[in-house]
């Protein structure tokens, strides 16, 4: 009896410090498998979006707490900003407002004119986009991606795939929606592509984020492409995500190496990708259908003409010619087959993802 | 288990999490040490009966949530790191401060390397050697904490 009691005492005497349950190796195997499964479920099948949304809502108060110090700092500096500074800012803003009001008047008449012309041409009406102003909450925490979090989300009717724009140009695209915030992938992110057009000659291309140093690449353009340093790139609007004609980037560097068939073109984004606090989230309702029909109606007569004409005009890749100054919609007579060959690759690039962002995780 | 210790574990982890959520940007983001992993390693060394591989995994999930990457990558990195921390925990108690510092540095590097591998698989670009700066800063933070009297279980050189 005494021996047994002794034995039990000995068994109990192990302090909690040594009681560790399953071995670390077992735990490692279990949790590693679990996280691998989670990764597969998230990246391949996208099962976890709703889970993520709900958990993110849970994190929101902590996020507010973390943002409190910087917000407090900003508020106090704003409070103590000088009278003179405010006055000068006010003056500047008034001037800006005046200038923009004049431009807006011009815009109204232009819009009317545009509508009339479109009616004459019997094409669809241009798309009216809606926009929501948002504020950047913080920069994304993942070093590998270029993302920002803005303070408008599902509860403000934001949808994934909307374009994000600031006063100077396109910034990116909404890629993930949370209840009270949403994640914006910047155009400098490696996974984001944006269809652009060179403002000077209308050459279309697709710009990809470079990923590391806040630049954009224009890959797969031949070495004899008509792009110069300082060329402005604007959105072409073909994708049905971004409104046409917004500034995207400026060409900063062109490298042509003899060992590569493609030119290496580096562009600097015009929008304050890392600077501003306020952004606009722009959505284009039902954009795909009208865009497609427009292009198809334009291509069809071209294709017919091409058949009737002499054949041996080779289908060239997207080589810029100074005559291609206007967008496809206006162009009528010269170089029709070329037009068809131009538009085809763009149709081939999937325009079907208005709701789905370009960025793929 | 002492409830006071449990409470301080939770509190420290929450504080570490708030540090992660601070609006870091630019260079500060590049060198931001992994506060949560540091907290986990500390508790894995100090209280392995309360804080284990599972804790690390669970916190990793929340970090995934906050960083907005693929679900489970930080969880996996923290799990593997926690495994190494727990395996050598008993030996670690005998280390002096310098040795311990080196050990913590290795642990932080393990987590970063695991993350790097996952990211490379998902198609990210390499970031260069500056990618490992957070580990160095993390170790410096650990050292500073030790200087300010945090008992990490290491022995000072004399004793």
């Amino acid at each position: 009896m005494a021996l047994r009691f002794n034995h039990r005492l000995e068994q109990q005497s192990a302090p909690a410090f040594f009681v560790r349950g399953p071995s670390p190796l077992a735990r490692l195997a279990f949790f590693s498998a679990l996280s691998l499964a989670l990764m597969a479920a998230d990246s391949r099948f996208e099962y976890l979006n709703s889970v993520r949304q709900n958990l993110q809502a849970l994190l929101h108060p902590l996020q507010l707490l973390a943002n409190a110090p910087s917000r407090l700092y900003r508020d106090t500096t704003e409070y103590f900003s000088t009278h003179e500074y405010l006055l000068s800012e006010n003056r500047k803003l008034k001037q800006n407002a005046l200038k923009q009001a004049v431009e807006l008047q011009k815009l109204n008449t232009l819009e009317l004119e545009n509508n009339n012309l479109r009616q004459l041409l019997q094409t669809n009406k241009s798309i009216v986009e809606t926009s929501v102003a948002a504020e950047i909450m913080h920069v994304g925490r993942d070093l590998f991606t270029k993302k920002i979090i803005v303070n408008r989300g599902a509860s403000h009717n934001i949808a994934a795939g909307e374009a994000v724009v600031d006063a100077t140009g396109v910034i990116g695209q909404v890629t993930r929606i949370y209840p009270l915030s949403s994640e914006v992938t910047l155009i400098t992110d490696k996974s984001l592509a944006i269809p652009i057009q060179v403002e000077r000659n209308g050459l279309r291309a697709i710009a990809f984020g470079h990923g590391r140093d806040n630049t954009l690449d224009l890959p797969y353009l031949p070495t004899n492409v008509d792009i110069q340093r300082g060329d402005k790139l604007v959105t072409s609007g073909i994708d049905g995500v971004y409104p046409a004609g917004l500034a995207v980037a400026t060409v900063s560097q062109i490298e042509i190496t003899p060992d590569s068939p493609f030119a290496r073109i580096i562009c600097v984004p015009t929008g304050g990708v890392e600077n501003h606090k306020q952004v606009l989230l722009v959505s284009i309702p039902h954009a795909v259908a009208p865009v497609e029909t427009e292009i198809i109606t334009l291509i069809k007569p071209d294709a017919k003409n091409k058949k009737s004409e002499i054949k041996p005009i080779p289908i060239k890749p997207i080589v810029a010619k100074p005559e291609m100054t206007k967008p496809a919609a206006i162009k009528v007579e010269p170089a029709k087959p070329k037009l068809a060959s131009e538009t085809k690759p763009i149709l081939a690039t999937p325009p079907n993802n208005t709701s789905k962002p370009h960025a793929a995780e | 288990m002492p409830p006071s210790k449990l409470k301080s574990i939770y509190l420290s982890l929450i504080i570490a999490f708030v540090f992660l959520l601070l609006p870091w940007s630019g260079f500060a983001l590049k060198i931001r040490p992994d506060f949560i992993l540091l907290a986990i390693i500390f508790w894995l060394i100090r209280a392995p009966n309360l804080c284990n591989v599972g804790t690390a995994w669970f916190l990793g999930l929340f970090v995934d949530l906050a960083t907005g990457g693929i679900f489970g990558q930080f969880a996996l990195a923290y799990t593997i790191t926690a495994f190494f921390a727990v395996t050598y925990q008993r030996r670690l108690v005998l280390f002096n401060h310098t040795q311990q510092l080196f050990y913590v540095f290795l642990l932080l590097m393990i987590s970063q390397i695991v993350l790097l591998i996952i990211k490379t698989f998902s198609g990210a670009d390499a970031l260069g050697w500056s990618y490992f700066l957070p580990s160095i800063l993390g170790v410096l933070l650990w050292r500073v904490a030790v200087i300010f009297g945090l008992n990490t279980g290491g022995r000072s050189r004399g004793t």
Side-chain angles (χ1 to χ4, degrees), chain A residues 297-325:
Chain A
T297 48
L298 272 169
I299 287 173
K300 270 186 182 165
D302 288 348
K304 273 178 201 164
N305 283 356
K306 197 180 172 188
K307 271 180 195 166
S308 62
E309 271 173 19
I310 323 145
K311 274 234 159 156
I313 299 166
I315 296 176
K316 287 177 187 167
I318 311 175
V319 180
K321 291 273 162 70
E323 65 214 68
M324 293 191 209
T325 41

PDB file of all heavy atoms in Angstrom, chain A residues 297-325:
ATOM      1  N   THR A 297     -18.388  44.883 -84.607  1.00  0.00           N
ATOM      2  CA  THR A 297     -19.002  45.584 -85.736  1.00  0.00           C
ATOM      3  C   THR A 297     -17.940  46.290 -86.564  1.00  0.00           C
ATOM      4  O   THR A 297     -18.098  46.430 -87.770  1.00  0.00           O
ATOM      5  CB  THR A 297     -20.031  46.614 -85.263  1.00  0.00           C
ATOM      6  OG1 THR A 297     -19.428  47.384 -84.233  1.00  0.00           O
ATOM      7  CG2 THR A 297     -21.310  45.967 -84.779  1.00  0.00           C
ATOM      8  N   LEU A 298     -16.895  46.687 -85.895  1.00  0.00           N
ATOM      9  CA  LEU A 298     -15.841  47.351 -86.657  1.00  0.00           C
ATOM     10  C   LEU A 298     -15.006  46.351 -87.442  1.00  0.00           C
ATOM     11  O   LEU A 298     -14.555  46.637 -88.536  1.00  0.00           O
ATOM     12  CB  LEU A 298     -14.934  48.136 -85.707  1.00  0.00           C
ATOM     13  CG  LEU A 298     -15.421  49.544 -85.445  1.00  0.00           C
ATOM     14  CD1 LEU A 298     -14.634  50.131 -84.303  1.00  0.00           C
ATOM     15  CD2 LEU A 298     -15.261  50.390 -86.692  1.00  0.00           C
ATOM     16  N   ILE A 299     -14.832  45.182 -86.885  1.00  0.00           N
ATOM     17  CA  ILE A 299     -13.953  44.223 -87.550  1.00  0.00           C
ATOM     18  C   ILE A 299     -14.616  43.614 -88.778  1.00  0.00           C
ATOM     19  O   ILE A 299     -13.988  43.443 -89.794  1.00  0.00           O
ATOM     20  CB  ILE A 299     -13.559  43.103 -86.562  1.00  0.00           C
ATOM     21  CG1 ILE A 299     -12.580  43.675 -85.564  1.00  0.00           C
ATOM     22  CG2 ILE A 299     -12.909  41.943 -87.283  1.00  0.00           C
ATOM     23  CD1 ILE A 299     -12.257  42.725 -84.482  1.00  0.00           C
ATOM     24  N   LYS A 300     -15.891  43.333 -88.646  1.00  0.00           N
ATOM     25  CA  LYS A 300     -16.558  42.576 -89.701  1.00  0.00           C
ATOM     26  C   LYS A 300     -16.378  43.167 -91.102  1.00  0.00           C
ATOM     27  O   LYS A 300     -15.924  42.454 -91.989  1.00  0.00           O
ATOM     28  CB  LYS A 300     -18.027  42.413 -89.363  1.00  0.00           C
ATOM     29  CG  LYS A 300     -18.243  41.129 -88.564  1.00  0.00           C
ATOM     30  CD  LYS A 300     -19.682  40.847 -88.319  1.00  0.00           C
ATOM     31  CE  LYS A 300     -19.818  39.590 -87.494  1.00  0.00           C
ATOM     32  NZ  LYS A 300     -21.164  39.473 -86.950  1.00  0.00           N
ATOM     33  N   PRO A 301     -16.746  44.442 -91.285  1.00  0.00           N
ATOM     34  CA  PRO A 301     -16.542  44.995 -92.625  1.00  0.00           C
ATOM     35  C   PRO A 301     -15.082  44.929 -93.047  1.00  0.00           C
ATOM     36  O   PRO A 301     -14.784  44.675 -94.214  1.00  0.00           O
ATOM     37  CB  PRO A 301     -17.028  46.437 -92.498  1.00  0.00           C
ATOM     38  CG  PRO A 301     -17.200  46.696 -91.061  1.00  0.00           C
ATOM     39  CD  PRO A 301     -17.398  45.393 -90.414  1.00  0.00           C
ATOM     40  N   ASP A 302     -14.199  45.080 -92.084  1.00  0.00           N
ATOM     41  CA  ASP A 302     -12.774  45.000 -92.387  1.00  0.00           C
ATOM     42  C   ASP A 302     -12.415  43.648 -92.954  1.00  0.00           C
ATOM     43  O   ASP A 302     -11.717  43.532 -93.941  1.00  0.00           O
ATOM     44  CB  ASP A 302     -11.951  45.227 -91.116  1.00  0.00           C
ATOM     45  CG  ASP A 302     -12.031  46.671 -90.705  1.00  0.00           C
ATOM     46  OD1 ASP A 302     -12.503  47.461 -91.520  1.00  0.00           O
ATOM     47  OD2 ASP A 302     -11.616  46.974 -89.587  1.00  0.00           O
ATOM     48  N   ALA A 303     -12.933  42.616 -92.291  1.00  0.00           N
ATOM     49  CA  ALA A 303     -12.604  41.265 -92.713  1.00  0.00           C
ATOM     50  C   ALA A 303     -13.076  41.038 -94.146  1.00  0.00           C
ATOM     51  O   ALA A 303     -12.401  40.406 -94.953  1.00  0.00           O
ATOM     52  CB  ALA A 303     -13.256  40.265 -91.774  1.00  0.00           C
ATOM     53  N   LYS A 304     -14.275  41.556 -94.441  1.00  0.00           N
ATOM     54  CA  LYS A 304     -14.790  41.396 -95.802  1.00  0.00           C
ATOM     55  C   LYS A 304     -13.869  42.084 -96.804  1.00  0.00           C
ATOM     56  O   LYS A 304     -13.506  41.517 -97.814  1.00  0.00           O
ATOM     57  CB  LYS A 304     -16.196  42.010 -95.880  1.00  0.00           C
ATOM     58  CG  LYS A 304     -17.282  41.032 -95.478  1.00  0.00           C
ATOM     59  CD  LYS A 304     -18.624  41.722 -95.535  1.00  0.00           C
ATOM     60  CE  LYS A 304     -19.627  40.983 -94.673  1.00  0.00           C
ATOM     61  NZ  LYS A 304     -20.784  41.810 -94.420  1.00  0.00           N
ATOM     62  N   ASN A 305     -13.536  43.306 -96.480  1.00  0.00           N
ATOM     63  CA  ASN A 305     -12.659  44.056 -97.366  1.00  0.00           C
ATOM     64  C   ASN A 305     -11.359  43.309 -97.587  1.00  0.00           C
ATOM     65  O   ASN A 305     -10.829  43.281 -98.686  1.00  0.00           O
ATOM     66  CB  ASN A 305     -12.338  45.431 -96.759  1.00  0.00           C
ATOM     67  CG  ASN A 305     -13.515  46.363 -96.933  1.00  0.00           C
ATOM     68  OD1 ASN A 305     -14.500  45.983 -97.551  1.00  0.00           O
ATOM     69  ND2 ASN A 305     -13.396  47.559 -96.382  1.00  0.00           N
ATOM     70  N   LYS A 306     -10.894  42.714 -96.520  1.00  0.00           N
ATOM     71  CA  LYS A 306      -9.610  42.033 -96.597  1.00  0.00           C
ATOM     72  C   LYS A 306      -9.670  40.905 -97.614  1.00  0.00           C
ATOM     73  O   LYS A 306      -8.748  40.657 -98.364  1.00  0.00           O
ATOM     74  CB  LYS A 306      -9.285  41.480 -95.217  1.00  0.00           C
ATOM     75  CG  LYS A 306      -7.845  41.113 -95.039  1.00  0.00           C
ATOM     76  CD  LYS A 306      -7.687  40.597 -93.639  1.00  0.00           C
ATOM     77  CE  LYS A 306      -6.323  40.028 -93.444  1.00  0.00           C
ATOM     78  NZ  LYS A 306      -6.265  39.369 -92.141  1.00  0.00           N
ATOM     79  N   LYS A 307     -10.815  40.215 -97.606  1.00  0.00           N
ATOM     80  CA  LYS A 307     -10.953  39.114 -98.559  1.00  0.00           C
ATOM     81  C   LYS A 307     -10.952  39.639 -99.988  1.00  0.00           C
ATOM     82  O   LYS A 307     -10.358  39.044-100.873  1.00  0.00           O
ATOM     83  CB  LYS A 307     -12.258  38.372 -98.279  1.00  0.00           C
ATOM     84  CG  LYS A 307     -12.060  37.251 -97.267  1.00  0.00           C
ATOM     85  CD  LYS A 307     -13.356  36.536 -97.012  1.00  0.00           C
ATOM     86  CE  LYS A 307     -13.263  35.688 -95.771  1.00  0.00           C
ATOM     87  NZ  LYS A 307     -14.579  35.253 -95.326  1.00  0.00           N
ATOM     88  N   SER A 308     -11.691  40.730-100.215  1.00  0.00           N
ATOM     89  CA  SER A 308     -11.810  41.241-101.569  1.00  0.00           C
ATOM     90  C   SER A 308     -10.497  41.864-102.047  1.00  0.00           C
ATOM     91  O   SER A 308     -10.224  41.904-103.228  1.00  0.00           O
ATOM     92  CB  SER A 308     -12.950  42.252-101.652  1.00  0.00           C
ATOM     93  OG  SER A 308     -12.662  43.338-100.795  1.00  0.00           O
ATOM     94  N   GLU A 309      -9.739  42.329-101.137  1.00  0.00           N
ATOM     95  CA  GLU A 309      -8.493  42.978-101.516  1.00  0.00           C
ATOM     96  C   GLU A 309      -7.404  41.963-101.850  1.00  0.00           C
ATOM     97  O   GLU A 309      -7.583  40.763-101.693  1.00  0.00           O
ATOM     98  CB  GLU A 309      -8.001  43.877-100.375  1.00  0.00           C
ATOM     99  CG  GLU A 309      -8.547  45.289-100.447  1.00  0.00           C
ATOM    100  CD  GLU A 309      -8.164  46.058 -99.209  1.00  0.00           C
ATOM    101  OE1 GLU A 309      -7.222  45.631 -98.518  1.00  0.00           O
ATOM    102  OE2 GLU A 309      -8.813  47.065 -98.945  1.00  0.00           O
ATOM    103  N   ILE A 310      -6.282  42.524-102.272  1.00  0.00           N
ATOM    104  CA  ILE A 310      -5.168  41.624-102.585  1.00  0.00           C
ATOM    105  C   ILE A 310      -4.656  41.025-101.288  1.00  0.00           C
ATOM    106  O   ILE A 310      -4.482  41.727-100.299  1.00  0.00           O
ATOM    107  CB  ILE A 310      -4.023  42.403-103.256  1.00  0.00           C
ATOM    108  CG1 ILE A 310      -4.621  43.454-104.180  1.00  0.00           C
ATOM    109  CG2 ILE A 310      -3.092  41.488-104.008  1.00  0.00           C
ATOM    110  CD1 ILE A 310      -3.815  44.725-104.228  1.00  0.00           C
ATOM    111  N   LYS A 311      -4.367  39.769-101.339  1.00  0.00           N
ATOM    112  CA  LYS A 311      -4.057  39.080-100.097  1.00  0.00           C
ATOM    113  C   LYS A 311      -2.716  39.398 -99.479  1.00  0.00           C
ATOM    114  O   LYS A 311      -2.642  39.585 -98.274  1.00  0.00           O
ATOM    115  CB  LYS A 311      -4.196  37.578-100.298  1.00  0.00           C
ATOM    116  CG  LYS A 311      -5.616  37.114-100.092  1.00  0.00           C
ATOM    117  CD  LYS A 311      -5.656  36.019 -99.080  1.00  0.00           C
ATOM    118  CE  LYS A 311      -7.042  35.895 -98.503  1.00  0.00           C
ATOM    119  NZ  LYS A 311      -7.309  34.588 -97.959  1.00  0.00           N
ATOM    120  N   PRO A 312      -1.643  39.425-100.262  1.00  0.00           N
ATOM    121  CA  PRO A 312      -0.320  39.247 -99.637  1.00  0.00           C
ATOM    122  C   PRO A 312       0.121  40.286 -98.615  1.00  0.00           C
ATOM    123  O   PRO A 312       1.298  40.385 -98.348  1.00  0.00           O
ATOM    124  CB  PRO A 312       0.628  39.248-100.839  1.00  0.00           C
ATOM    125  CG  PRO A 312      -0.102  40.012-101.882  1.00  0.00           C
ATOM    126  CD  PRO A 312      -1.532  39.620-101.701  1.00  0.00           C
ATOM    127  N   ILE A 313      -0.798  41.036 -98.059  1.00  0.00           N
ATOM    128  CA  ILE A 313      -0.371  41.921 -96.970  1.00  0.00           C
ATOM    129  C   ILE A 313      -0.177  41.067 -95.731  1.00  0.00           C
ATOM    130  O   ILE A 313      -1.123  40.460 -95.238  1.00  0.00           O
ATOM    131  CB  ILE A 313      -1.416  42.998 -96.700  1.00  0.00           C
ATOM    132  CG1 ILE A 313      -1.603  43.847 -97.949  1.00  0.00           C
ATOM    133  CG2 ILE A 313      -1.001  43.850 -95.516  1.00  0.00           C
ATOM    134  CD1 ILE A 313      -2.823  44.703 -97.919  1.00  0.00           C
ATOM    135  N   PRO A 314       1.035  40.984 -95.283  1.00  0.00           N
ATOM    136  CA  PRO A 314       1.290  40.101 -94.139  1.00  0.00           C
ATOM    137  C   PRO A 314       0.709  40.681 -92.852  1.00  0.00           C
ATOM    138  O   PRO A 314       0.703  41.900 -92.667  1.00  0.00           O
ATOM    139  CB  PRO A 314       2.821  40.051 -94.076  1.00  0.00           C
ATOM    140  CG  PRO A 314       3.250  41.339 -94.709  1.00  0.00           C
ATOM    141  CD  PRO A 314       2.212  41.736 -95.699  1.00  0.00           C
ATOM    142  N   ILE A 315       0.246  39.788 -92.023  1.00  0.00           N
ATOM    143  CA  ILE A 315      -0.276  40.253 -90.725  1.00  0.00           C
ATOM    144  C   ILE A 315       0.896  40.551 -89.830  1.00  0.00           C
ATOM    145  O   ILE A 315       1.667  39.668 -89.453  1.00  0.00           O
ATOM    146  CB  ILE A 315      -1.178  39.187 -90.096  1.00  0.00           C
ATOM    147  CG1 ILE A 315      -2.406  38.988 -90.985  1.00  0.00           C
ATOM    148  CG2 ILE A 315      -1.585  39.602 -88.707  1.00  0.00           C
ATOM    149  CD1 ILE A 315      -3.326  37.904 -90.534  1.00  0.00           C
ATOM    150  N   LYS A 316       1.017  41.809 -89.534  1.00  0.00           N
ATOM    151  CA  LYS A 316       2.176  42.211 -88.750  1.00  0.00           C
ATOM    152  C   LYS A 316       1.851  42.145 -87.266  1.00  0.00           C
ATOM    153  O   LYS A 316       0.699  42.256 -86.879  1.00  0.00           O
ATOM    154  CB  LYS A 316       2.558  43.638 -89.110  1.00  0.00           C
ATOM    155  CG  LYS A 316       3.204  43.729 -90.472  1.00  0.00           C
ATOM    156  CD  LYS A 316       3.499  45.164 -90.804  1.00  0.00           C
ATOM    157  CE  LYS A 316       3.990  45.264 -92.233  1.00  0.00           C
ATOM    158  NZ  LYS A 316       4.004  46.646 -92.680  1.00  0.00           N
ATOM    159  N   PRO A 317       2.866  41.991 -86.486  1.00  0.00           N
ATOM    160  CA  PRO A 317       2.641  42.170 -85.049  1.00  0.00           C
ATOM    161  C   PRO A 317       2.360  43.633 -84.756  1.00  0.00           C
ATOM    162  O   PRO A 317       2.400  44.473 -85.657  1.00  0.00           O
ATOM    163  CB  PRO A 317       3.971  41.718 -84.435  1.00  0.00           C
ATOM    164  CG  PRO A 317       4.960  41.919 -85.528  1.00  0.00           C
ATOM    165  CD  PRO A 317       4.242  41.649 -86.791  1.00  0.00           C
ATOM    166  N   ILE A 318       2.111  43.928 -83.517  1.00  0.00           N
ATOM    167  CA  ILE A 318       1.757  45.298 -83.176  1.00  0.00           C
ATOM    168  C   ILE A 318       2.961  46.196 -83.377  1.00  0.00           C
ATOM    169  O   ILE A 318       3.785  46.369 -82.481  1.00  0.00           O
ATOM    170  CB  ILE A 318       1.260  45.385 -81.731  1.00  0.00           C
ATOM    171  CG1 ILE A 318       0.217  44.302 -81.494  1.00  0.00           C
ATOM    172  CG2 ILE A 318       0.663  46.751 -81.462  1.00  0.00           C
ATOM    173  CD1 ILE A 318      -0.257  44.220 -80.095  1.00  0.00           C
ATOM    174  N   VAL A 319       3.091  46.699 -84.573  1.00  0.00           N
ATOM    175  CA  VAL A 319       4.179  47.624 -84.862  1.00  0.00           C
ATOM    176  C   VAL A 319       3.554  48.993 -85.021  1.00  0.00           C
ATOM    177  O   VAL A 319       2.584  49.164 -85.747  1.00  0.00           O
ATOM    178  CB  VAL A 319       4.908  47.236 -86.154  1.00  0.00           C
ATOM    179  CG1 VAL A 319       6.028  48.209 -86.412  1.00  0.00           C
ATOM    180  CG2 VAL A 319       5.433  45.828 -86.066  1.00  0.00           C
ATOM    181  N   ALA A 320       4.103  49.915 -84.353  1.00  0.00           N
ATOM    182  CA  ALA A 320       3.482  51.233 -84.380  1.00  0.00           C
ATOM    183  C   ALA A 320       3.828  51.949 -85.674  1.00  0.00           C
ATOM    184  O   ALA A 320       4.943  51.864 -86.169  1.00  0.00           O
ATOM    185  CB  ALA A 320       3.979  52.042 -83.214  1.00  0.00           C
ATOM    186  N   LYS A 321       2.880  52.603 -86.210  1.00  0.00           N
ATOM    187  CA  LYS A 321       3.077  53.483 -87.340  1.00  0.00           C
ATOM    188  C   LYS A 321       2.476  54.826 -86.950  1.00  0.00           C
ATOM    189  O   LYS A 321       1.434  54.866 -86.316  1.00  0.00           O
ATOM    190  CB  LYS A 321       2.332  52.936 -88.570  1.00  0.00           C
ATOM    191  CG  LYS A 321       2.921  51.668 -89.135  1.00  0.00           C
ATOM    192  CD  LYS A 321       4.030  51.986 -90.124  1.00  0.00           C
ATOM    193  CE  LYS A 321       4.903  50.783 -90.346  1.00  0.00           C
ATOM    194  NZ  LYS A 321       4.233  49.724 -91.095  1.00  0.00           N
ATOM    195  N   PRO A 322       3.127  55.870 -87.350  1.00  0.00           N
ATOM    196  CA  PRO A 322       2.624  57.183 -86.962  1.00  0.00           C
ATOM    197  C   PRO A 322       1.192  57.427 -87.432  1.00  0.00           C
ATOM    198  O   PRO A 322       0.489  58.225 -86.836  1.00  0.00           O
ATOM    199  CB  PRO A 322       3.604  58.155 -87.617  1.00  0.00           C
ATOM    200  CG  PRO A 322       4.560  57.343 -88.413  1.00  0.00           C
ATOM    201  CD  PRO A 322       4.428  55.946 -88.013  1.00  0.00           C
ATOM    202  N   GLU A 323       0.759  56.715 -88.465  1.00  0.00           N
ATOM    203  CA  GLU A 323      -0.589  56.998 -88.944  1.00  0.00           C
ATOM    204  C   GLU A 323      -1.663  56.426 -88.019  1.00  0.00           C
ATOM    205  O   GLU A 323      -2.823  56.777 -88.110  1.00  0.00           O
ATOM    206  CB  GLU A 323      -0.759  56.422 -90.343  1.00  0.00           C
ATOM    207  CG  GLU A 323      -0.675  54.911 -90.345  1.00  0.00           C
ATOM    208  CD  GLU A 323      -0.046  54.354 -91.583  1.00  0.00           C
ATOM    209  OE1 GLU A 323       1.171  54.565 -91.776  1.00  0.00           O
ATOM    210  OE2 GLU A 323      -0.755  53.728 -92.360  1.00  0.00           O
ATOM    211  N   MET A 324      -1.279  55.535 -87.178  1.00  0.00           N
ATOM    212  CA  MET A 324      -2.279  54.937 -86.290  1.00  0.00           C
ATOM    213  C   MET A 324      -2.606  55.836 -85.104  1.00  0.00           C
ATOM    214  O   MET A 324      -2.625  55.399 -83.962  1.00  0.00           O
ATOM    215  CB  MET A 324      -1.720  53.655 -85.692  1.00  0.00           C
ATOM    216  CG  MET A 324      -1.503  52.559 -86.638  1.00  0.00           C
ATOM    217  SD  MET A 324      -1.202  51.215 -85.578  1.00  0.00           S
ATOM    218  CE  MET A 324      -0.185  50.224 -86.508  1.00  0.00           C
ATOM    219  N   THR A 325      -2.810  57.050 -85.376  1.00  0.00           N
ATOM    220  CA  THR A 325      -2.944  57.976 -84.258  1.00  0.00           C
ATOM    221  C   THR A 325      -4.262  57.827 -83.522  1.00  0.00           C
ATOM    222  O   THR A 325      -4.353  58.111 -82.353  1.00  0.00           O
ATOM    223  CB  THR A 325      -2.828  59.418 -84.740  1.00  0.00           C
ATOM    224  OG1 THR A 325      -3.538  59.511 -85.958  1.00  0.00           O
ATOM    225  CG2 THR A 325      -1.386  59.816 -84.921  1.00  0.00           C
TER     226      THR A 325
END
